[in-house]
Amino acid sequence: MKATLLPGSPSTLYSADHALSVSIQALQIDKDAHRWQGQAYIVSGGKTEAVKPVAGYYEAMLSVPVLIRQVGSTDVIAQGDIEMKSMPERQIRKDTVTDEAQLIGKSPRRTISAERPIRAEEIAMPLVVKKGQTVELTYTTPYVHIRTEAEALEDGAVGATIRVKNTKSGKAVSSRVVDTGHVEANIGEM
């Protein structure tokens, strides 16, 4: 939670030339209006020096991961690119990433600017196959193993299904991205 004094409150509640502590007592909270009020007890050496009425509003805060720099779609997000930032809960959407582990190793679908909450739809596994790239195409069954070259007809991340064109036969097949530059034809496609 973040509590703030109401606008128009005095900028100096109490001044002294010695150490003080403040405690808020008789605290009343209006949950619907997100307001609070109470009495500020100003204490020095165990002795109350003054009691002042105080009031303000409060808002729930949530710690979310944000990027410390702008990150583009060809970048892979690393731990060093992230910091946690406390933000008002009202600014956080349902699809906002709240765990930094969800960002590490991912790439933005489009450029993401620094210092703002990130939505889950803005990130994906990094692309390891690019459209137009020559890739190794394999097809394996218990009885046969075929390896040839193909041209990627789509971009793809590990585990994604993309279309590739066999460079020898010219036939387009559906394949699963296995690794950088390597795809595996689906059974029945070759």
Side-chain angles (χ1 to χ4, degrees):
M1 292 290 174
K2 177 182 175 184
T4 308
L5 290 173
L6 286 174
S9 297
S11 60
T12 304
L13 190 60
Y14 184 80
S15 66
D17 60 358
H18 53 278
L20 298 171
S21 64
V22 177
S23 68
I24 305 295
Q25 297 186 22
L27 182 63
Q28 296 176 353
I29 297 174
D30 181 344
K31 291 181 182 178
D32 295 330
H34 292 271
R35 292 188 178 263
W36 62 271
Q37 65 180 16
Q39 299 292 323
Y41 280 70
I42 297 137
V43 180
S44 177
K47 205 172 167 188
T48 301
E49 291 192 12
V51 177
K52 301 280 186 169
V54 288
Y57 59 92
Y58 69 91
E59 60 184 333
M61 302 295 283
L62 187 62
S63 186
V64 296
V66 297
L67 298 172
I68 60 172
R69 65 180 180 89
Q70 182 171 296
V71 178
S73 61
T74 59
D75 296 323
V76 176
I77 300 169
Q79 177 73 47
D81 296 322
I82 303 168
E83 69 179 7
M84 297 302 286
K85 184 174 184 179
S86 186
M87 305 192 81
E89 192 175 66
R90 65 182 159 71
Q91 291 180 356
I92 307 300
R93 296 169 44 152
K94 287 182 182 179
D95 63 344
T96 297
V97 175
T98 57
D99 182 3
E100 66 184 57
Q102 294 175 287
L103 296 175
I104 297 171
K106 303 278 177 64
S107 290
R109 294 182 190 271
R110 288 179 279 300
T111 299
I112 298 176
S113 57
E115 299 295 319
R116 70 166 181 82
I118 300 165
R119 296 186 322 274
E121 69 183 26
E122 293 181 285
I123 56 170
M125 292 301 293
L127 298 176
V128 295
V129 171
K130 300 279 188 180
K131 181 178 180 178
Q133 177 183 353
T134 299
V135 295
E136 178 183 53
L137 171 64
T138 58
Y139 176 76
T140 304
T141 71
Y143 310 104
V144 68
H145 178 77
I146 300 170
R147 186 171 73 202
T148 188
E149 284 187 351
E151 177 187 347
L153 300 175
E154 307 174 81
D155 294 339
V158 172
T161 300
I162 64 170
R163 303 281 294 162
V164 297
K165 182 171 70 173
N166 184 320
T167 54
K168 291 189 172 122
S169 71
K171 181 179 177 183
V173 296
S174 180
S175 60
R176 183 177 60 84
V177 178
V178 177
D179 202 352
T180 302
H182 179 205
V183 298
E184 185 174 76
N186 294 330
I187 293 175
E189 289 281 335
M190 292 290 282

